[in-house]
Amino acid sequence: MLGRHGDNLFWMARYLERSENTARRIQAALHHALSREDEGQEEWTAIVVYDGLATVFDEKYGTPSTTNVINFLLRDRDNLNSVISLMSKARQNGRSVRTSLTQEVWLSLNESWIACEAALKRPVNIHDLPTILEGIIKGSSLFRGALYGTMLHNDIFNFICLGTYIERADNTIRTVDAKYHRLLPTAKVIGGSEDQSQWEVMLRSLAAWRSFNWLKKGRLDPLGVSDFLIFDERMPRSINFCYKEMSSNLEELSNSYGRDYKSLDMAREICLDLNHARSQIIKKINLRDFINEHIVKNNQLSLTIASDFNFN
């Protein structure tokens, strides 16, 4: 496969996954805000800071009101990571490799983009927000369903999966990084209802709230939440799960092309490191260093994949 086609597939999946992650973060913040007297002001500010866009936001809007943050994250084309910008880039990349996709996969992507453009044409009313967010998340789910249900599991499929899981791993790592201080063992001692509500926001933004409650029977504690989001192999957004999927797809590409790749070695090494870290008692891990280290590793792995497969 040409490197630029692999690049289009990889980034189509990354942009689509990122748009879903943004919608889920807004959804979790909205759920939190509805139960707060200050309408979750701190949480809305935290979302803008999370994306590293605080300066851009401040220059354009100034006040981090609910309406300003929502419109900035969803429909502001000056924000390169707004949902409307991400969906547009996902569709552009998908259009470049349209003949590599099944009709179902292309239509799911194109129709999601059309629906997104229509829903975000005008400033978002807070009363319409839940429906709009559900639409964005549903579009991403339909794409994945069409992908797994209609595409050959060949190199095209592998590049799309790599884009999805490297973006998903990055999102989980950065979400934990943003609230790591609430996952330290001491948080159980000093934390009250406020800490628990932040753990809920974290789990909801990673689509993990219901799964966690099924497994832990509603017992919220910092060590349990951090172990679930980092190590649990059953949780499709845990860091461990994402790296196992990346390693598997890189191995299939290596077998398909009959070549060894540095990115496969890196992915395997990260999986081994995670297994080793889990064998330790999690409270002995320096969570801040652990997360910072994996932010760097994930970025390096993405760059190595681009180099190995001549993305341009």
Side-chain angles (χ1 to χ4, degrees), residues 148-219:
Y148 279 87
T150 66
M151 290 282 292
L152 281 176
H153 287 208
N154 56 7
D155 52 349
I156 296 170
F157 180 85
N158 294 137
F159 283 120
I160 295 174
C161 287
L162 283 174
T164 298
Y165 286 110
I166 206 152
E167 183 65 33
R168 188 175 292 181
D170 183 75
N171 180 59
T172 301
I173 294 168
R174 291 182 188 278
T175 299
V176 174
D177 180 52
K179 298 183 186 296
Y180 85 93
H181 55 288
R182 296 184 186 275
L183 292 174
L184 296 175
T186 50
K188 189 173 184 178
V189 178
I190 65 175
S193 59
E194 178 60 26
D195 277 315
Q196 294 211 2
S197 70
Q198 288 297 318
W199 300 336
E200 181 179 343
V201 170
M202 196 182 327
L203 288 166
R204 284 188 184 278
S205 68
L206 295 170
W209 173 245
R210 183 162 294 186
S211 302
F212 182 84
N213 279 293
W214 276 338
L215 289 173
K216 305 293 181 180
K217 311 297 182 189
R219 293 191 304 275

Side-chain angles (χ1 to χ4, degrees), residues 106-122:
W106 165 249
L107 284 177
S108 67
L109 177 62
N110 195 46
E111 288 174 2
S112 293
W113 171 76
I114 292 170
C116 197
E117 287 279 331
L120 301 177
K121 192 174 182 179
R122 296 181 178 82

Side-chain angles (χ1 to χ4, degrees), residues 9 18 23 70 78 93 123 157 164 260 284 286 294:
L9 294 164
R18 196 177 298 176
I70 288 171
D78 291 335
N93 278 280
F157 180 85
T164 298
D260 296 324
K284 291 185 177 179
N286 185 322
H294 279 80

Side-chain angles (χ1 to χ4, degrees), residues 159-293:
F159 283 120
I160 295 174
C161 287
L162 283 174
T164 298
Y165 286 110
I166 206 152
E167 183 65 33
R168 188 175 292 181
D170 183 75
N171 180 59
T172 301
I173 294 168
R174 291 182 188 278
T175 299
V176 174
D177 180 52
K179 298 183 186 296
Y180 85 93
H181 55 288
R182 296 184 186 275
L183 292 174
L184 296 175
T186 50
K188 189 173 184 178
V189 178
I190 65 175
S193 59
E194 178 60 26
D195 277 315
Q196 294 211 2
S197 70
Q198 288 297 318
W199 300 336
E200 181 179 343
V201 170
M202 196 182 327
L203 288 166
R204 284 188 184 278
S205 68
L206 295 170
W209 173 245
R210 183 162 294 186
S211 302
F212 182 84
N213 279 293
W214 276 338
L215 289 173
K216 305 293 181 180
K217 311 297 182 189
R219 293 191 304 275
L220 270 175
D221 68 275
L223 293 181
V225 173
S226 51
D227 181 76
F228 186 63
L229 296 180
I230 296 171
F231 297 116
D232 201 307
E233 297 174 4
R234 299 163 294 179
M235 207 299 249
R237 293 179 185 273
S238 78
I239 298 170
N240 200 13
F241 183 95
C242 292
Y243 281 116
K244 284 186 180 301
E245 288 296 317
M246 281 187 261
S247 182
S248 172
N249 280 280
L250 284 166
E251 192 169 339
E252 288 178 12
L253 283 169
S254 178
N255 293 335
S256 177
Y257 293 157
R259 295 182 59 182
D260 296 324
Y261 293 107
K262 188 178 177 182
S263 52
L264 174 57
D265 294 336
M266 286 181 68
R268 283 172 170 165
E269 186 178 337
I270 295 172
C271 286
L272 287 173
D273 287 346
L274 285 169
N275 288 334
H276 174 70
R278 191 172 196 184
S279 67
Q280 304 176 47
I281 300 173
I282 192 167
K283 64 184 178 183
K284 291 185 177 179
I285 296 174
N286 185 322
L287 192 57
R288 185 175 191 177
D289 289 348
F290 179 86
I291 292 300
N292 287 337
E293 181 186 330

